[in-house]
Amino acid sequence: MPVPDAAFNPSKNVVAICGGVGGAKLALGLQQLLGDRLSVVINVADDFDHMGLRICPDLDTVIYTLGGLSDEVRGWGRADETWNFMAATKQLGGECWFALGDRDLALHVERTQRLAAGETLTEVIAGIASTLGIAPRLLPVTDDKLRTKVATDAGVLDFQRYFVERRCEPVVKGISFEGADTARLNPSVSAALSSPQLGAIIICPSNPYLSIDPILAVAGLRDAMTRSGAPVVAVSPIIGGRAVKGPTAKIMNELKIETTSASIAKHYAGLLDGLLIDSGDAADVEGIAARVHAAPTLMTDLPSRVALARESLAFAERLSRH
Ligand code: FO1
């Protein structure tokens, strides 16, 4: 049961824009406060076909996190995982660079079968989320093909080859999203953003370049966010000049962008009403055009995720009154 937040209008809904690990942690905090008043718009540009299966890493991270099934230490996949399938694949000389756990495999097989039977990705995810008792609506930003390509000093790499196989080691020179010019915005995302009940849009602290940009690249999404009239609050993924997890800071260095929250604000320019930054960076607000609120942004456990969710909603509520 969601625990309503006194500082946020109880008749309003919220849309969260979300990538994988960091984003899912905040989505979990928002789920605790909002339940089915939350819609999570999720990146699909990390998706790929592997061993005959459709793998959707960010959707799966959000499903496992909100469903209470995620492996908190690894950051992806399921808790209590076993690896017999991978061991047997290795024994047969198969591809082992991308690890599919035995329990995780069930989700990929189920999704692949339902897609082959004609369901859209949105329908597949809604069905699985409902079976797992997840109250918020989990919405792929598009049901069409959208794929991240990373231009590096080792050539142009498909996202998972860059991220998992090459462990983000190649130097990034540019990032593009194949299919962004033809991918159609998920109609359920348009509906959530045009609802008169919408009270806030929260951009989660996922990697802005790899996880949020592909969502924003889908035609119509930015417009729908702006037209909604709801305050847009981004939670900065930078704490003390570093990203908590993953390659955000490394990529910013390689793209010659200063690793500060001011850079994040600049990146989302034209879209943001407010930027929530870490309390430790409260002095570091020079050059941020949006309104700034400082609060602890490190999410180490459920209470800190709920606390950050509460801070972001209360901030949005204050912005909506201006
Ligand atoms: N990340 C890894 O670093 N190594 C893996 O072998 C790996 C397997 C994997 C399988 C299913 C899945 O849904 C995600 C998986 N991830 C793995 C995570 C993932 O690919 C990345 O964290 C995201 O794409 C970045 O958001």
Side-chain angles (χ1 to χ4, degrees), residues 13-18 27 31 34-42 59 62-63 66 122 125-127 129-130 133-140 186-195 198:
N13 297 334
V14 172
V15 167
I17 311 280
C18 185
Q31 170 180 252
L34 299 162
D36 63 5
R37 290 157 59 206
L38 175 67
S39 295
V40 191
V41 179
I42 303 165
L59 281 165
V62 176
I63 288 174
L66 270 52
T122 300
I125 298 302
S130 148
I134 297 171
R137 289 199 305 160
L138 307 188
L139 302 173
N186 184 337
S188 301
V189 173
S190 307
L193 288 170
S194 60
S195 162
L198 184 67

Side-chain angles (χ1 to χ4, degrees), residues 63 82 89 139 165 167 169 173 181 200 234 300:
I63 288 174
T82 55
T89 299
L139 302 173
E165 189 179 40
R167 298 194 185 97
E169 280 163 10
K173 296 177 177 300
D181 44 355
T300 48

